[in-house]
């Protein structure tokens, strides 16, 4: 809220821009702020890291069909973690369960201070599932301690091409993840907005940026100002639906 407020309340003169994240489509539904995706001049979407669905390496669930069958047969038995209550990974899991016609409450959520402690709990046997991004799980996947059964995206991740999409693995069209974009305060003059958007595109297209993202496994996704505005509107609607379903919207 503090960071997003700093961008929104700055003078719309082009000298203050900032990174806005998936939380801008979530916080106002919880009444944490009045800010929402329309509170800014969107410049460009520069990243999307879809949620993956991770289990321990020795988990009996070899694919999403196995996991779904077990969840349906044992409501309340399995726990998941990877972020705080109502965080993006919690909502990613709840959205998939809802899309699969399974009550999200069937898999109790264990709040954590992020994916790292959630994954540590997964490896230790405290929870059975962690629906975080593949970059966050990468070190444990590479170490052979964690397996990813699916990615909640419309296409497979370049970093892990053998991990199927949720559509391929479970027939679900649900797709979501953490995303980041660059925006300015509302009311930015169009000429300044265009200049800044062009500058962000130059940075996005640079070898330095693409190498940085590829080396760390982060997802690249470009959307200019118009596309970014539409992307945020859909994200806002998706998050509202899931948050309402799990009782987090106020």
């Amino acid at each position: 809220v503090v960071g997003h407020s700093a961008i929104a309340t700055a003078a719309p003169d082009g000298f203050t821009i900032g990174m806005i994240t998936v939380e801008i489509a979530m916080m106002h539904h919880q009444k944490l702020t009045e800010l929402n995706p329309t509170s800014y001049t969107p410049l460009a979407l520069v990243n999307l890291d879809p949620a993956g669905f991770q289990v321990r390496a020795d988990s009996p669930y070899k694919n999403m069909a196995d996991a779904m069958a077990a969840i349906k047969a044992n409501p309340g038995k399995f726990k998941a973690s990877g972020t705080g209550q109502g965080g993006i990974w919690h909502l990613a899991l709840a959205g998939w369960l809802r899309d699969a016609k399974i009550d999200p409450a069937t898999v109790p959520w264990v709040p954590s201070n992020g994916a790292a402690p959630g994954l540590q709990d997964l490896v230790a046997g405290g929870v059975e599932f962690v629906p975080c991004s593949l970059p966050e799980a990468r070190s444990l996947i590479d170490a052979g301690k964690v397996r990813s059964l699916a990615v909640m995206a419309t296409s497979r991740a370049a970093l892990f091409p053998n991990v199927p999409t949720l559509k391929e693995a479970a027939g679900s069209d649900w797709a979501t993840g953490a995303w980041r974009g660059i925006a300015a305060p509302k009311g930015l003059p169009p000429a300044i907005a265009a200049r800044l958007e062009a500058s962000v595109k130059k940075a996005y297209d640079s070898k330095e940026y693409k190498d940085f993202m590829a080396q760390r496994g982060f997802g690249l996704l470009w959307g200019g100002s118009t596309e970014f505005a539409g992307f945020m509107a859909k994200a806002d609607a998706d998050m509202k639906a899931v948050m309402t379903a799990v009782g987090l919207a106020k």
Side-chain angles (χ1 to χ4, degrees):
V1 172
V2 173
H4 286 82
S5 296
I7 304 166
T9 58
D13 55 12
F15 287 99
T16 299
I17 62 174
M19 179 170 282
I20 58 176
T21 65
V22 63
E23 284 79 17
I24 197 62
M26 299 156 56
M27 300 183 294
H28 68 107
H29 296 304
Q30 295 170 289
K31 302 299 186 209
L32 298 176
T33 177
E34 294 298 317
L35 296 173
N36 64 66
T38 67
S39 303
Y40 304 86
T41 298
L43 298 175
L45 175 69
V46 297
N47 157 257
L48 171 64
D49 293 315
F53 189 86
Q54 279 69 237
V55 297
R56 282 189 303 281
D58 62 355
S59 170
Y61 314 115
K62 305 303 181 185
N63 52 54
M64 289 300 289
D66 289 347
M68 188 185 300
I71 290 169
K72 287 182 176 179
N74 301 276
K77 178 180 178 180
F78 305 111
K79 299 185 291 295
S81 187
T83 186
Q85 185 81 10
I88 182 57
W89 305 136
H90 179 202
L91 299 183
L93 176 64
W96 167 59
L97 292 172
R98 182 170 170 265
D99 188 67
K101 304 296 188 292
I102 301 172
D103 183 353
T106 296
V107 181
W109 187 259
V110 179
S112 69
N113 289 324
L119 287 163
Q120 290 167 4
D121 201 13
L122 175 72
V123 173
V127 299
E128 286 74 31
F129 310 124
V130 171
C132 68
S133 71
L134 292 177
E136 290 171 309
R138 180 181 183 179
S139 62
L140 287 173
I141 293 174
D142 290 346
K145 296 181 180 296
V146 168
R147 284 187 291 114
S148 187
L149 302 185
V151 61
M152 301 181 191
T154 55
S155 60
R156 295 191 180 197
L159 183 65
F160 293 104
N162 293 328
V163 177
T165 65
L166 200 54
K167 178 75 169 180
E168 294 171 321
S172 172
D173 289 317
W174 174 250
T176 194
W179 50 262
R180 301 166 182 88
I182 307 298
K186 197 168 185 176
L188 190 70
I192 297 177
R195 182 178 178 184
L196 286 170
E197 181 181 341
S199 295
V200 175
K201 184 66 163 73
K202 183 178 179 180
Y204 180 91
D205 288 336
S206 69
K207 183 177 185 299
E208 291 88 348
Y209 181 69
K210 292 190 183 302
D211 286 350
F212 176 91
M213 298 295 274
Q215 288 164 8
R216 290 156 181 79
F218 288 111
L220 289 166
L221 183 61
W222 171 262
S225 56
T226 301
E227 292 84 2
F228 188 25
F231 178 92
M232 287 195 290
K234 182 181 185 304
D236 193 67
D238 285 347
M239 291 298 101
K240 180 180 181 180
V242 177
M243 294 174 80
T244 300
V246 298
L248 291 170
K250 296 180 180 179

